[in-house]
């Protein structure tokens, strides 16, 4: 039985037409769930008894659960327990422009990036749309906030769970639903080329971020196994195609790893790769994690790297750090449970 929070409005409309009710019923249900936050069918006024019974019979209304929470001044981190006992994590961040959350898209991850804690646990399964949607609903209720921005950058590779993540976006983007604007949603991928092209056609207003992390195949092969399937030239071609179709600026995330990808030479190589592209680079000081040997680049090195990109006319920022006190780096909260 499908969970009600997994159903895009269009599909719910089809469902109601299919049971000889009105299409408009879907909007009503959406408003109860996402605007009024009424989750109990019995409490939904002006829905007839027959329809209520039908809904309860046809859909699962259950929720994932908050298992643990850690708080800092500008960040709250949540560990959720799914109905099968699996754990996922989500981070809420307070910015000057609003609040964002970083949602997980899978239990574990198969991408195997050498520097990343999430990939230490192989993918156990994909998350269903409702399990991503409910991360938002439960955090809004718990932290008493309206979340303005969503990044799909938690545990998992969203393009390895494409259909569910896309339905998640349809549900939260719906004006009758949580109504988060497409331009306030960002999907981050390690570079699954065919899906980047598909995404450009499916969602040309949603932001795309690429976990790039290296300016050439030699380095990228060492730290990101996905690069063996799609090398940098193919990845760049797909990004250019994305930009041509969407006319949107792409974010390049670049983790600064001491002595791995942070040399002056790397900065120059990255500059020539990105020159003239509608993009911006986000330099991320590496969050050191247990059992992983990589170190964060020295501050001077990050600044020198930044300067070279700037001089070459590349838009670049150094990421503000959140939550170093709360195990905020990917996968750390869950990893530290065991
Ligand atoms: N699989 C997707 C989304 C999840 S990873 C992707 O690869 O984009 C989210 C981002 O965090 C990626 O850019 C990833 O490379 C980065 N990351 C992973 N471990 C990190 C760490 N210890 N410190 C800083 N960034 C990290």
């Amino acid at each position: 039985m499908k969970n009600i929070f997994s159903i895009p409005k269009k599909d719910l409309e089809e469902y109601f037409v299919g049971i000889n009710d009105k299409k408009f019923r879907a909007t009503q249900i959406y408003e109860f769930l996402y605007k009024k936050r009424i989750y109990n069918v019995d409490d939904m006024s002006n829905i007839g008894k027959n329809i209520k019974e039908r809904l309860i019979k046809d859909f699962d209304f259950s929720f994932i659960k908050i298992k643990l929470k850690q708080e800092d001044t500008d960040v709250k981190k949540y560990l959720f327990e799914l109905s099968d006992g699996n754990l996922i994590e989500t981070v809420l961040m307070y910015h000057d422009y609003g609040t964002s959350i970083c949602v997980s898209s899978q239990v574990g991850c198969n991408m195997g990036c050498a520097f990343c804690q999430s990939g230490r646990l192989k993918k156990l399964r994909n998350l269903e749309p409702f399990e991503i949607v409910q991360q938002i609903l439960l955090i809004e209720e718990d932290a008493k906030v309206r979340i303005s921005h969503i990044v799909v950058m938690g545990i998992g590779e969203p393009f390895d769970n494409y259909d569910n993540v896309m339905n998640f976006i349809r549900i939260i983007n719906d004006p009758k639903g949580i109504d988060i604007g497409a331009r306030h949603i960002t999907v981050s991928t390690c570079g699954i080329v065919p899906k980047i092209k598909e995404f450009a056609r499916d969602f040309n207003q949603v932001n795309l971020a690429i976990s790039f992390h290296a300016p050439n195949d030699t380095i990228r092969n060492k730290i990101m196994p996905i690069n063996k399937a799609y090398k940098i030239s193919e990845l760049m071609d797909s990004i250019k195609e994305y930009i041509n179709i969407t006319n949107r600026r792409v974010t390049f995330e670049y983790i600064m790893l001491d002595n791995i990808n942070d040399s002056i030479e790397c900065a120059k190589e990255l500059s020539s790769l990105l020159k003239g592209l509608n993009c911006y680079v986000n330099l991320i000081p590496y969050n050191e994690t247990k059992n992983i040997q990589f170190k964060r680049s020295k501050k001077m090195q990050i600044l020198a790297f930044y300067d070279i990109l700037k001089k070459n006319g590349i838009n670049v920022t150094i990421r503000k750090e959140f939550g170093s006190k709360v195990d905020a780096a990917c996968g750390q909260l869950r990893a530290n449970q065991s």
Side-chain angles (χ1 to χ4, degrees):
M1 191 161 45
K2 274 228 167 188
N3 190 291
I4 190 80
F5 296 93
S6 280
I7 318 286
K9 196 165 99 261
K10 208 167 138 281
D11 297 0
L12 201 56
E13 286 171 350
E14 277 169 26
Y15 163 80
F16 281 115
V17 172
I19 63 166
N20 291 323
D21 193 20
K22 299 196 178 60
K23 195 170 145 185
F24 168 73
R25 195 75 63 207
T27 299
Q28 274 186 315
I29 299 299
Y30 253 58
E31 285 175 343
F32 277 118
L33 297 178
Y34 299 115
K35 299 272 191 240
K36 300 176 188 147
R37 305 288 161 103
I38 291 175
Y39 306 134
N40 188 342
V41 175
D42 289 333
D43 298 336
M44 295 180 181
S45 52
N46 70 34
I47 306 279
K49 190 164 165 284
N50 291 348
I51 298 292
K52 285 184 176 175
E53 280 168 6
R54 221 23 228 266
L55 281 172
I56 293 169
K57 188 162 80 65
D58 290 343
F59 295 103
D60 174 13
F61 282 78
S62 69
F63 267 81
I64 63 173
K65 292 189 184 69
I66 297 175
K67 188 175 161 77
L68 191 73
K69 184 167 60 162
Q70 287 185 350
E71 302 191 30
D72 206 334
T73 42
D74 53 3
V75 57
K76 288 192 172 82
K77 178 130 186 179
Y78 291 85
L79 190 73
F80 287 101
E81 184 172 344
L82 310 178
S83 64
D84 59 5
N86 279 312
L87 303 176
I88 52 163
E89 44 182 79
T90 312
V91 185
L92 167 68
M93 286 162 281
Y94 295 87
H95 311 267
D96 43 14
Y97 57 80
T99 52
S100 70
I101 71 167
C102 176
V103 296
S104 290
S105 58
Q106 297 179 315
V107 180
C109 182
N110 273 347
M111 298 301 117
C113 298
F115 47 80
C116 180
Q117 182 85 54
S118 307
R120 298 285 132 138
L121 180 75
K122 286 285 152 257
K123 178 176 95 179
L124 295 178
R125 66 173 176 87
N126 287 325
L127 293 189
E128 299 284 324
F130 80 92
E131 293 169 311
I132 320 179
V133 170
Q134 291 179 358
Q135 295 172 47
I136 301 176
L137 297 176
L138 289 173
I139 290 179
E140 285 198 331
E141 183 183 318
D142 182 81
K144 301 186 174 50
V145 286
R146 276 295 285 158
I147 291 161
S148 59
H149 290 70
I150 305 288
V151 294
V152 188
M153 230 183 245
I155 296 174
E157 167 51 47
F159 285 175
D160 183 38
N161 182 17
Y162 190 82
D163 293 342
N164 286 336
V165 172
M166 297 308 120
N167 277 340
F168 158 71
I169 293 174
R170 289 186 183 100
I171 293 164
I172 64 164
N173 180 231
D174 196 292
K176 301 292 182 195
I178 305 179
D179 194 16
I180 293 173
R183 286 161 183 241
H184 286 195
I185 304 170
T186 301
V187 177
S188 177
T189 178
C190 63
I192 300 182
V193 163
K195 296 296 175 194
I196 293 174
K197 299 178 182 182
E198 212 173 315
F199 186 62
R201 289 168 176 84
D202 289 347
F203 287 94
N204 61 14
Q205 298 291 304
V206 175
N207 302 303
L208 177 66
I210 307 285
S211 295
F212 206 63
H213 307 332
N216 60 53
D217 287 322
T218 315
I219 300 176
R220 203 163 192 268
N221 282 340
K222 281 192 197 138
I223 56 177
M224 300 181 71
I226 190 70
N227 202 67
K228 291 178 182 144
Y230 307 106
K231 53 184 193 303
I232 288 183
S233 59
E234 294 170 70
L235 178 55
M236 290 304 296
D237 285 347
S238 72
I239 294 168
K240 284 174 193 160
E241 184 175 325
Y242 172 89
I243 294 172
N244 277 337
I245 292 174
T246 64
N247 214 2
R248 295 194 64 73
R249 178 195 270 196
V250 171
T251 302
F252 283 71
E253 296 159 273
Y254 197 101
I255 301 183
M256 300 297 294
L257 299 164
D258 185 41
N259 260 319
I260 304 282
N261 64 357
D262 62 349
S263 68
I264 298 300
E265 200 39 55
C266 284
K268 289 181 181 161
E269 239 180 307
L270 186 63
S271 303
S272 46
L273 206 56
L274 302 186
K275 203 147 206 143
L277 199 71
N278 185 15
C279 72
Y280 103 98
V281 177
N282 198 2
L283 297 178
I284 307 167
Y286 179 61
N287 238 319
E288 291 175 16
T289 69
K290 258 201 280 189
N291 309 325
I292 299 183
Q293 76 282 17
F294 293 105
K295 293 272 169 265
R296 165 185 297 206
S297 300
K298 312 237 168 1
K299 191 145 195 201
M300 289 299 290
Q301 199 61 31
I302 299 178
L303 294 173
F305 200 98
Y306 172 92
D307 282 343
I308 290 174
L309 293 182
K310 260 256 124 78
K311 270 198 201 99
N312 283 299
I314 311 286
N315 298 308
V316 55
T317 53
I318 299 175
R319 180 181 284 178
K320 171 177 175 343
E321 283 188 77
F322 282 93
S324 45
K325 279 192 235 145
V326 294
D327 295 332
C330 309
Q332 286 188 351
L333 185 61
R334 192 187 55 176
N336 292 346
Q337 288 294 293
S338 46

